[in-house]
Amino acid sequence: MSSARKVAVKVLSEIERDGSYSNIAADVALNEAGLNSADSRLASMLIYGCLQRKITLNKVLRDMAGDSFRKTHPFVVSVCLVGAYQLLFMDKIPESAAVNESVKIVKASKQRFAAGFTNAVLHKIARSKPEILKTIADSDDLSFKYSCSKELIESLIKDYGFELAEGFLKASLESPKLICRLNNFADTNGLLESLSEKGIECNNCDLDSAFTLKGAGNVERLPEFRDGKFFVQDLASQIAISDLNIKEGMNVLDVCAAPGGKSFTAAQYAGKSGKIVACDLYEKRVGLILNGAKRLNINNLTAIQNDATIYNQSLGQFDRVLCDVPCSGFGVIRRKPEIKYKNLSEFDELPEIQLNILKTSVKYLKVNGEIMYSTCTLRNAENKEVVDKFLSENKDFEVVLEKTLFPQTSSSDGFYFCVLKRKNFE
């Protein structure tokens, strides 16, 4: 059985070496490690905490270690990151445990000769903790203070102004809430009371049927989850579907549906007399939608494989269309912190793809139908600018509603959505 710290070091090394996604690498490593629930939680906290604070921690380590840090083996760097994160940002971890366990990991590795270096650097950080934390808090360098690429920070400030941008960066270092939705196709009477009896903290959100869970661990292990009484869905997506104004009996198309959360919520609003067609490009992801719908006993949903960039006449016409396009994902950096270190140039081709999907998707709209364009990013280049370009080329459409959600103001992930419909020229 591996220790929580060893698992964290392994995952961080893998992400740094292979560019793996944090959630996938962490899930695989935790499943293989056989940790108990407490150690599994600790490993997750260390992995995501170190990724969230990567730029900050690396600068602190460079300052403490001097020039020698540039020559340090990547494995030892990962160990030092885990140790430094515990010392600076986890008050419940004893200083001795943070240092000694880190040294033990190095001693048991091929880099054992670096144990003394690790010990010295971490002890120096421990002694300097108050000064280091004050330096971070007082810094005018937002990249160092909030551990984010300068390029992304400049983009956020350009799009939203300094106050909103800094508020988002600050919120991105916080742990996101686990937000769920009641399944109205199941009997959910007494659900929250049942979960509370298990020691899980449950609180209703302002939006109907939305609630938060705290201390639930892996929700997939809960019998209430397996029985389909609820599903996990961030508040941003729930707000967006609510604002699309889906009525009982409507037909709804979700062109980029996997893993299916928005389709499931749309199915609730459409009711048993409505119809949901959920599409995805990949067969495996269509399977995820079908499995979720089966667990939730959603019988008004069909999932099919379909390319959102190509018009498929056989799908027919719909009252509502969901167009949640592939995006850079900067709105969810609390959950996938490695995204915020990517170069923006990696996403240069996305707006053209997004616009193409939107232009294709409107062909499925009935007369007087409405379409929702949405992303989980906070870049105007992928949001407002895409919609504006569409409107400039399609004068018969108008905006019904447009919203940008921020964690610090909406208690949700960063999210953008815009509801469009054809103008009524009567």
Side-chain angles (χ1 to χ4, degrees):
M1 181 181 290
S2 300
S3 73
R5 294 172 178 84
K6 277 186 179 179
V7 172
V9 170
K10 178 179 182 295
V11 173
L12 291 170
S13 298
E14 183 179 325
I15 292 170
E16 187 67 26
R17 182 183 67 245
D18 304 329
S20 306
Y21 286 109
S22 57
N23 57 330
I24 296 174
D27 286 348
V28 170
L30 290 172
N31 286 333
E32 292 176 348
L35 301 175
N36 59 38
S37 58
D39 280 343
S40 183
R41 284 195 298 273
L42 175 57
S44 293
M45 290 172 67
L46 294 173
I47 292 165
Y48 290 103
C50 288
L51 287 172
Q52 283 180 331
R53 303 274 189 173
K54 178 181 172 182
I55 290 176
T56 308
L57 290 172
N58 273 323
K59 186 177 187 308
V60 170
L61 287 169
R62 285 196 304 272
D63 290 346
M64 295 293 106
D67 291 341
S68 60
F69 189 71
R70 290 186 295 105
K71 304 172 185 176
T72 304
H73 191 277
F75 175 82
V76 179
V77 171
S78 294
V79 175
C80 288
L81 282 172
V82 171
Y85 180 76
Q86 293 171 79
L87 290 169
L88 295 174
F89 301 110
M90 296 184 73
D91 290 336
K92 293 182 180 179
I93 300 289
E95 176 186 310
S96 58
V99 176
N100 295 339
E101 292 302 315
S102 298
V103 173
K104 284 181 184 177
I105 292 173
V106 176
K107 282 184 175 178
S109 74
K110 294 179 180 178
Q111 306 300 318
R112 61 182 67 90
F113 59 86
F117 168 84
T118 304
N119 183 66
V121 170
L122 293 182
H123 270 302
K124 190 173 182 181
I125 290 173
R127 289 193 301 271
S128 307
K129 178 176 178 177
E131 293 84 357
I132 293 171
L133 292 179
K134 187 176 188 308
T135 299
I136 295 170
D138 294 345
S139 179
D140 292 327
D141 182 350
L142 298 187
S143 179
F144 168 63
K145 186 173 186 175
Y146 298 114
S147 189
C148 186
S149 74
K150 292 182 183 295
E151 188 181 26
L152 178 55
I153 292 170
E154 289 168 0
S155 173
L156 290 167
I157 293 174
K158 175 177 173 290
D159 287 346
Y160 303 106
F162 186 87
E163 186 176 348
L164 269 178
E166 185 178 27
F168 171 68
L169 293 169
K170 184 177 181 180
S172 73
L173 297 177
E174 299 169 356
S175 297
K177 294 178 180 178
L178 176 62
I179 302 180
C180 304
R181 185 171 182 85
L182 295 174
N183 176 23
N184 63 13
F185 291 110
D187 180 5
T188 59
N189 287 330
L191 171 62
L192 299 190
E193 290 80 1
S194 171
L195 293 171
S196 296
E197 289 171 2
K198 291 180 168 67
I200 300 170
E201 184 181 329
C202 309
N203 291 290
N204 287 312
C205 298
D206 291 338
L207 187 69
D208 185 47
S209 295
F211 64 99
T212 63
L213 293 181
K214 186 176 181 180
N218 183 354
V219 294
E220 294 182 5
R221 296 176 182 173
L222 295 172
E224 293 87 352
F225 179 87
R226 294 197 299 267
D227 292 343
K229 294 183 182 294
F230 71 96
F231 56 100
V232 176
Q233 185 181 37
D234 186 70
L235 191 60
S237 295
Q238 295 193 47
I239 291 170
I241 301 302
S242 173
D243 283 349
L244 187 54
N245 198 26
I246 298 169
K247 302 293 187 183
E248 184 88 21
M250 281 187 171
N251 291 344
V252 181
L253 174 66
D254 190 347
V255 300
C256 301
K262 294 181 185 67
S263 292
F264 302 154
T265 302
Q268 293 185 339
Y269 286 111
K272 293 181 180 179
S273 60
K275 176 186 175 185
I276 311 298
V277 177
C279 305
D280 198 85
L281 182 60
Y282 301 104
E283 184 179 359
K284 185 176 180 180
R285 290 170 66 79
V286 171
L288 289 176
I289 302 169
L290 290 171
N291 289 339
K294 182 178 180 181
R295 180 181 66 81
L296 297 167
N297 194 31
I298 298 176
N299 297 316
N300 62 346
L301 183 151
T302 303
I304 63 170
Q305 190 173 1
N306 187 69
D307 187 342
T309 64
I310 301 172
Y311 177 60
N312 182 351
Q313 188 174 0
S314 67
L315 290 178
Q317 300 287 289
F318 295 83
D319 302 291
R320 298 287 186 268
V321 175
L322 311 181
C323 186
D324 188 56
V325 297
C327 69
S328 55
F330 289 121
V332 296
I333 58 177
R334 292 186 302 176
R335 303 179 192 276
K336 299 177 182 178
E338 71 277 7
I339 295 174
K340 63 181 175 176
Y341 307 118
K342 291 181 177 290
N343 294 322
L344 296 191
S345 60
E346 294 183 39
F347 308 108
D348 284 349
E349 296 179 1
L350 277 177
E352 184 177 348
I353 295 169
Q354 293 159 341
L355 179 62
N356 186 19
I357 293 175
L358 178 56
K359 288 161 69 173
T360 302
S361 299
V362 298
K363 297 177 182 177
Y364 300 113
L365 272 183
K366 289 182 179 179
V367 174
N368 297 322
E370 295 182 1
I371 183 169
M372 183 186 76
Y373 174 86
S374 63
T375 76
C376 60
T377 195
L378 291 175
R379 293 181 67 220
N380 276 344
E382 299 177 56
N383 296 338
K384 184 173 176 54
E385 290 177 20
V386 171
V387 171
D388 286 348
K389 186 142 194 304
F390 170 80
L391 291 171
S392 71
E393 298 173 359
N394 296 269
K395 303 294 186 182
D396 55 333
F397 276 84
E398 64 183 351
V399 174
V400 176
L401 176 70
E402 186 177 30
K403 286 185 180 179
T404 302
L405 305 177
F406 295 87
Q408 71 271 26
T409 56
S410 303
S411 298
S412 70
D413 287 338
F415 198 82
Y416 169 87
F417 66 95
C418 183
V419 179
L420 302 161
K421 72 172 183 180
R422 282 192 175 88
K423 294 179 182 177
N424 188 347
F425 292 105
E426 294 180 2

